Amino acid sequence: MTTVSRLRRALATSAIVASALSILTGCGSSDESGNTIRFALDWTPNTNHTGLFVALQEGYFADAGLSVEVLPYNNTAPDTLVDAGNAEFGTSFQDSATFSRAAGAQTVSVMAPLQHWATGIGVKADRTDLARPKDLDGKTYAGFGDPGEGEILRQVIRNDGGTGDFKSVILGTSAYEAVYGGQADFTVSYFAWEGIEAARRGTPMRYFHYTDYGFPDAYAIVVNGNERWLTEHPEQARKFVQALQRGYQLAADDPDLGARALIDANPGAFSDEELVFESQRMLAADYMKDSSGRVGTQTREQWAGYSGFLFDNGLLSGPDGKPLTTEPDWSAYFTNEYLTAP
């Protein structure tokens, strides 16, 4: 799990997994017809998945003649499950999708439910001494140990005129509490959940957005597909992706409907339902749609920007485990082929 992917949700995991299991349809494996499709979640159900639950609730998959199984989150990354053929599709992120494909995974991003970074550098709102990224020099970062995490922060600070030198402590899910309690100075927050949650609990945060300091934008969420399966089942792939895109589009156009679909599909999972609604409204307003109002689209420019940063900083390894020496063809990392026509 990477910086972008990490959604540290204070959820009742067991209840949610049980709920997710309850919506499984069909058996636990794909079929040769291609009409049964397994979708792997990256985490317990949350607002990054609303389009999937909307599509299920509205019957978009069934109308397309598809049976969709939602594979609950477990310790195996969706990229690994999809590459191994244990799922046809799964939730991923531009960074983890890049790491996986560079290492030889036969996966490709078929749509991007979130068009932009949904994370940024978070400091307590009352820290007047931390007015901009360069003020973080010499401070303590509460982090998660994700690949590329430190390089992103250093580059943002340097772009703002700092040195990028700071202390790091790997705290995982305790990082937020460390910042709230003053044991650390900054962390990386997910705006549409932890950001809202912090404000609602009376510990508001202030954020430095990466792109405000010259750092390339990235797709916070993508959907990865198994390339072999896509080649063998192009019609089913198109039907699935377009039904999923339709679900995300409806969740973006009517965020309250999207939030309600997520809650109804996972009864008892969310102790604070208003947080779900606020989260979905934020994602719909700022992150889900491209400049034309569509959801799902991807560009080579955006893939080349952030994934190119990972390559330029020597963070990508090939199938042999050695650092890549030749920049990949980023146009091979994604496709808009299965989306609906504009």
Side-chain angles (χ1 to χ4, degrees), residues 79 82-84 100-101 103-108 225-230:
D79 290 337
V82 173
D83 178 45
S100 296
R101 187 174 174 95
Q106 298 297 302
T107 56
V108 62
N226 179 293
E227 280 196 308
R228 295 180 296 272
W229 187 89
L230 292 169

Side-chain angles (χ1 to χ4, degrees), residues 4 48 59 118 120-121 206 221 223 234 262 287 295 309 327 329 331 341:
V4 175
N48 286 338
I121 300 172
R206 183 157 40 79
I221 300 292
V223 173
L262 174 65
Y287 298 99
V295 303
F309 169 84
E327 185 167 8
D329 174 8
S331 63

Side-chain angles (χ1 to χ4, degrees), residues 69-323:
E69 304 174 8
V70 180
L71 305 183
Y73 164 75
N74 61 43
N75 290 329
T76 303
D79 290 337
T80 300
L81 293 173
V82 173
D83 178 45
N86 292 321
E88 283 65 51
F89 297 93
T91 306
S92 188
F93 316 88
Q94 184 170 334
D95 54 2
S96 59
T98 300
F99 287 124
S100 296
R101 187 174 174 95
Q106 298 297 302
T107 56
V108 62
S109 172
V110 296
M111 66 176 292
L114 296 188
Q115 292 285 306
H116 309 288
W117 285 108
T119 54
I121 300 172
V123 302
K124 283 188 69 178
D126 60 1
R127 288 290 301 269
T128 57
D129 59 318
L130 304 178
R132 50 189 310 125
K134 68 179 182 181
D135 296 332
L136 301 175
D137 278 342
K139 297 298 189 295
T140 299
Y141 167 63
F144 308 94
D146 295 328
E149 173 181 310
E151 289 303 322
I152 295 173
L153 299 175
R154 277 186 280 277
Q155 190 62 55
V156 172
I157 294 172
R158 288 168 184 156
N159 287 353
D160 191 42
T163 64
D165 297 324
F166 56 83
K167 291 170 283 190
S168 294
V169 289
I170 306 303
L171 297 177
T173 54
S174 299
Y176 301 105
E177 295 299 330
V179 172
Y180 300 155
Q183 290 82 32
D185 300 294
F186 66 107
T187 188
V188 169
S189 293
Y190 184 72
F191 306 134
W193 199 272
E194 282 83 12
I196 297 171
E197 194 173 50
R200 290 171 65 84
R201 62 176 278 176
T203 52
M205 301 283 284
R206 183 157 40 79
Y207 302 104
F208 306 132
H209 296 253
Y210 302 148
T211 53
D212 288 345
Y213 299 92
F215 194 81
D217 204 354
Y219 298 109
I221 300 292
V222 299
V223 173
N224 252 354
N226 179 293
E227 280 196 308
R228 295 180 296 272
W229 187 89
L230 292 169
T231 299
E232 294 169 358
H233 303 91
E235 189 58 31
Q236 288 88 348
R238 186 166 293 102
K239 289 179 178 178
F240 173 80
V241 173
Q242 293 186 1
L244 184 62
Q245 181 188 17
R246 191 178 172 194
Y248 274 105
Q249 186 73 56
L250 182 55
D253 293 338
D254 189 344
D256 285 2
L257 180 150
R260 177 48 60 190
L262 174 65
I263 293 168
D264 289 348
N266 301 278
F270 302 100
S271 59
D272 184 353
E273 293 188 359
E274 185 55 32
L275 176 58
V276 180
F277 282 95
E278 286 191 38
S279 174
Q280 185 58 32
R281 290 167 190 157
M282 177 184 287
L283 292 176
D286 299 328
Y287 298 99
M288 296 183 73
K289 297 179 182 178
D290 66 14
S291 58
S292 68
R294 299 179 71 213
V295 303
T297 57
Q298 303 172 84
T299 68
R300 184 191 178 283
E301 179 183 13
Q302 190 146 318
W303 273 90
Y306 175 51
S307 297
F309 169 84
L310 298 175
F311 169 76
D312 292 340
N313 283 272
L315 297 171
L316 300 183
S317 299
D320 59 1
K322 298 179 180 178

